Structure formats: C-alpha cells, structure tokens
Amino acid sequence: MLFLNEVKNLEFNSQLSLNQVEDRLLITADFPQDFLFENSLENPFLYVTLYVRGGSIIKLIDEDTAQLYTPAKKDFAPETYQQIIAFAREHAPQFKNLSGK
C-alpha cells in the first residue's frame, strides 16, 4: 500500500540524459517514518524519469533490499507529486530552461 503524502530534504544525486528523449534522475529524500514502516522500506530513493515530449514516472528503489516499486500518480498526494517533479526538472539538463532558473 504505497501512498506517499510527504517528502523532505530532496537531494539530487545523479542523472542520465538521453538528448531529446528523457532525463533520469536519482534523488534522495527524507520519507515519513510511518510510510517506511507500512511498506517495509529500509533505505528508499526516488528514481524519476522525465520525458522531453511530456510525461514523467516516479519509481522508488529500496537500496537495502534492491526492490523496485512503481507507484501510480494516484499513490502520491498531489502536492508531493508536483514537488518531486518540480525538483527533478530543476536538475534535469533538458528541462533547466523551463524551470525559470
């Protein structure tokens, strides 16, 4: 039952950019303790894919168990989803011109 309603202290770690196709970013964050406990996650991070022609996917990878989770957009609080995507766009090479920075 993945439902993420909050993340704090987002931190950009690395990215892979395929020109005119997509940017993939690894982002660490502080997740709520109840979320970690409910989903048996030890050390998750966000794996965000931003497609140049529109769309995005957020995955969670638990570093300790090597489990990959692909929650649907509805499994995030809307403001949390937007926070993560906005942060990813700020650090994605192909989207920097759109972030206003």
Side-chain angles (χ1 to χ4, degrees), residues 8-51:
K8 295 180 182 175
N9 301 321
L10 294 169
E11 187 175 315
F12 170 72
N13 283 328
S14 68
Q15 60 86 33
L16 169 66
S17 185
L18 300 173
N19 281 342
Q20 300 180 349
V21 178
E22 66 189 22
D23 284 327
R24 295 177 182 220
L25 300 100
L26 297 178
I27 301 169
T28 58
D30 293 337
F31 295 87
Q33 286 301 314
D34 57 339
F35 174 78
L36 297 175
F37 181 75
E38 281 181 36
N39 296 290
S40 301
L41 298 171
E42 297 292 326
N43 192 12
F45 59 89
L46 300 162
Y47 180 68
V48 181
T49 304
L50 301 173
Y51 296 100

